[in-house]
Amino acid sequence: MKHPQPFSAKYRQFKSLSKKINHLISTGRFFRLSKKEQNKLIQKLQGLYLKLKGVFSTQALKRVLASAALLLGFEIAGQSQVFAPPVTDTFGLIKKATEFRFPNLVDLDGDGDFDLLTGEYKGAFKYYENIGNAQSPEFSTEMVNPFNLDSVYYVNFPVTGDLDDDGDYDILSVGYYGSTQYFENVGDAQNPDFVSRGINPFGIITGYSVYGEYFYMPSLVDLDNDGDLDLVVGGAYYHQIYYENTGTPGAPNFASPKKNTFGLTEDSTCYLTSQVFADFDNDGDYDMVTAAFTYDYYVNGYNYSYSSGVFKYFENIGTPTSPVFESSTGSKFAVDTVKSIIPVGLTVADLDNDGDIDMVFGGFNYDYNTYESGTSLYYIENLQNASGIANKINIEFSITPNPSSDYLNISVSNAEGEITPESLELVNINGTVVLTQRYTNGLTRLNIKSLPAGNYFLIARNAGKAIGTQKVVIAK
């Protein structure tokens, strides 16, 4: 099969470079190169791969790569996710507490790292500021009901998102029977100040009134890619309830709830479902991970019921606007089952700033021998980038001024090999693309006069793939 120019020439370059790198690997010389020299070869190879991926099949390119495919593991080896076993007592996370704790990782103070906000079993909010940095988080001692927060619910499941489109995080707090309390952030992205705006706002109909269940754990995510946040809640039994936002980014209105949409089915063996959404496989749409628990029964003279926490991965095999979730565990997603633990709340973020998505969950433990109970916060590190060899391109930007109120002047300061941006995207804190522009070599200027103040992320893309990200602050 013939391919049009310039792809035939790029393909020859790709074959030649793959052959060179495979020779270096087979002789052991590759790993004697400096880290800079290794990364330069990898970035050039990855750049050629990204250019050819839309013309040649992945299998054909992998055959050419041979051993070199291992160096591009994230882009080529099926976007597999491998996680370390859950651990406590890291980053200053809470080792054990008597109450349930439902965690959210969110940059509440706008300083570029992830803080921790938890909902409590007895209705309180607790805030743990990240006093470390984006690479090495360290959480401070707790602040109870900070920023004028105070939930009316005995069981408090909070979730954050920009619900009024003003550039800062607001909060929805979901109670035991699915009622929802809305806290508007009337401060700003650096100095939050929350005001309660009532119960069941935005037309929300409680899941309990429709499905007769309790224990609802929420997520805010733009599942239909229309620029506003939809609401998904996990039920007491293993399913998700979807509320489409039929309003606007600044004035939400949630439609009647629907159970198990997008190809999802109920699993009668799992209970108390939490779910999170992120682009785990880096293909441009939201995938889903759930945490729930199952019962195991042991007979040792007595009947004891022990719970096990299970994590499941659902790949979005649909599109960004019409998701279809397919269970896809095993080689693509490996998280250990945790014995005698009930996951209560799940949150995701790149907590160690290594370019992949880590997880934190609240783990409730009840000892049937001592009748003692408590909740610890567990950290699950994503190990897909643990080899020490760069498996993603991460170019650096020069952005001036930053913060800015009208224009951003952007240039790439260290693009190597053939990797340069084709386009630039400005994304708000909800993950919505608010501005797109082609990149021109030298200097590209973005007009941001019409955008509200707040924290944003600038993403550079080549052949549709993110090759660099940097935080931007718009100040008015």
Side-chain angles (χ1 to χ4, degrees):
M1 178 180 178
K2 291 186 177 180
H3 295 279
Q5 293 288 349
F7 295 109
S8 294
K10 294 293 183 187
Y11 184 69
R12 289 194 296 272
Q13 294 174 31
F14 181 70
K15 288 181 66 175
S16 176
L17 185 58
S18 296
K19 183 178 179 179
K20 176 182 177 179
I21 291 175
N22 279 310
H23 178 70
L24 290 172
I25 292 173
S26 64
T27 60
R29 292 165 55 196
F30 180 85
F31 298 101
R32 292 198 293 270
L33 298 174
S34 69
K35 188 66 66 177
K36 182 177 180 180
E37 291 172 317
Q38 290 180 19
N39 287 340
K40 186 173 182 179
L41 287 171
I42 292 168
Q43 289 182 349
K44 187 172 183 180
L45 184 64
Q46 191 170 23
L48 289 167
Y49 170 77
L50 291 174
K51 291 178 183 295
L52 295 170
K53 189 177 178 184
V55 179
F56 297 85
S57 73
T58 300
Q59 289 302 317
L61 296 178
K62 286 175 70 175
R63 284 194 295 270
V64 174
L65 282 165
S67 298
L70 297 175
L71 303 179
L72 304 186
F74 181 78
E75 287 293 344
I76 295 177
Q79 290 84 31
S80 298
Q81 312 285 305
V82 179
F83 292 87
V87 295
T88 58
D89 195 22
T90 184
F91 308 135
L93 290 171
I94 310 156
K95 292 182 67 174
K96 197 150 192 176
T98 56
E99 306 92 351
F100 281 180
R101 295 187 183 241
F102 311 101
N104 281 265
L105 290 168
V106 57
D107 185 10
L108 266 187
D109 54 6
D111 63 351
D113 54 37
F114 289 100
D115 309 301
L116 179 67
L117 179 72
T118 66
E120 301 291 311
Y121 188 67
K122 295 181 180 179
F125 290 92
K126 291 187 179 178
Y127 171 64
Y128 304 83
E129 182 185 357
N130 186 349
I131 55 176
N133 55 50
Q135 290 75 32
S136 301
E138 183 70 25
F139 295 103
S140 68
T141 55
E142 67 186 35
M143 294 172 57
V144 181
N145 289 331
F147 317 124
N148 294 315
L149 288 168
D150 189 9
S151 176
V152 299
Y153 299 129
Y154 189 70
V155 179
N156 173 23
F157 305 92
V159 63
T160 56
D162 186 4
L163 284 168
D164 52 7
D165 198 30
D166 64 350
D168 54 38
Y169 287 104
D170 309 297
I171 296 174
L172 281 183
S173 170
V174 180
Y176 190 73
Y177 289 102
S179 294
T180 304
Q181 186 176 7
Y182 171 50
F183 296 89
E184 180 186 355
N185 186 351
V186 296
D188 56 40
Q190 289 76 37
N191 301 285
D193 183 20
F194 294 98
V195 173
S196 177
R197 298 301 192 195
I199 307 299
N200 295 333
F202 314 128
I204 292 175
I205 301 171
T206 65
Y208 182 80
S209 66
V210 178
Y211 299 114
E213 291 187 23
Y214 56 93
F215 246 89
Y216 290 95
M217 287 175 265
S219 301
L220 285 169
V221 57
D222 185 7
L223 266 188
D224 52 7
N225 199 35
D226 64 351
D228 53 38
L229 291 174
D230 307 300
L231 175 64
V232 180
V233 293
Y237 304 100
Y238 195 87
H239 59 247
Q240 280 70 42
I241 298 171
Y242 171 62
Y243 296 80
E244 181 185 357
N245 186 349
T246 58
T248 66
N253 184 67
F254 293 102
S256 298
K258 298 178 181 178
K259 183 190 288 189
N260 292 334
T261 54
F262 310 123
L264 296 170
T265 58
E266 189 167 319
D267 185 344
S268 60
T269 65
C270 294
Y271 309 90
L272 301 187
T273 308
S274 304
Q275 66 287 310
V276 290
F277 297 88
D279 186 7
F280 283 94
D281 56 5
N282 197 38
D283 65 350
D285 54 35
Y286 284 109
D287 309 296
M288 182 176 74
V289 172
T290 63
F293 79 93
T294 61
Y295 282 115
D296 301 318
Y297 295 95
Y298 297 90
V299 179
N300 296 313
Y302 298 94
N303 288 333
Y304 288 110
S305 172
Y306 290 86
S307 57
S308 296
V310 294
F311 299 86
K312 296 184 179 182
Y313 172 57
F314 295 84
E315 182 182 355
N316 185 352
I317 60 173
T319 67
T321 56
S322 299
V324 177
F325 294 108
E326 178 181 74
S327 180
S328 182
T329 53
S331 61
K332 281 196 173 183
F333 192 91
V335 178
D336 291 347
T337 296
V338 286
K339 289 290 185 181
S340 302
I341 295 293
I342 298 175
V344 283
L346 179 65
T347 184
V348 293
D350 184 6
L351 197 52
D352 50 6
N353 200 37
D354 65 349
D356 52 38
I357 301 170
D358 310 301
M359 299 190 289
V360 170
F361 71 95
F364 178 77
N365 172 257
Y366 182 81
D367 191 320
Y368 286 89
N369 296 308
T370 65
Y371 305 107
E372 294 180 351
S373 64
T375 300
S376 298
L377 289 182
Y378 291 82
Y379 169 58
I380 306 178
E381 182 183 1
N382 190 333
L383 299 177
Q384 71 174 16
N385 201 22
S387 65
I389 300 175
N391 57 15
K392 288 184 182 179
I393 307 162
N394 191 20
I395 63 171
E396 295 180 2
F397 301 106
S398 170
I399 303 177
T400 57
N402 188 15
S404 177
S405 60
D406 48 13
Y407 292 98
L408 295 172
N409 299 304
I410 301 157
S411 60
V412 174
S413 57
N414 77 329
E416 295 190 28
E418 299 187 354
I419 303 302
T420 55
E422 294 177 351
S423 64
L424 300 171
E425 293 178 352
L426 200 61
V427 179
N428 67 17
I429 59 176
N430 290 328
T432 301
V433 178
V434 296
L435 185 62
T436 301
Q437 187 166 318
R438 288 194 62 80
Y439 176 78
T440 55
N441 288 331
L443 187 69
T444 298
R445 186 176 235 203
L446 296 185
N447 186 336
I448 57 173
K449 289 181 179 179
S450 63
L451 297 177
N455 293 323
Y456 295 79
F457 295 94
L458 184 70
I459 301 175
R461 293 191 180 275
N462 180 292
K465 296 293 182 181
I467 61 172
T469 305
Q470 189 161 319
K471 182 180 174 182
V472 170
V473 177
I474 297 179
K476 297 294 185 179

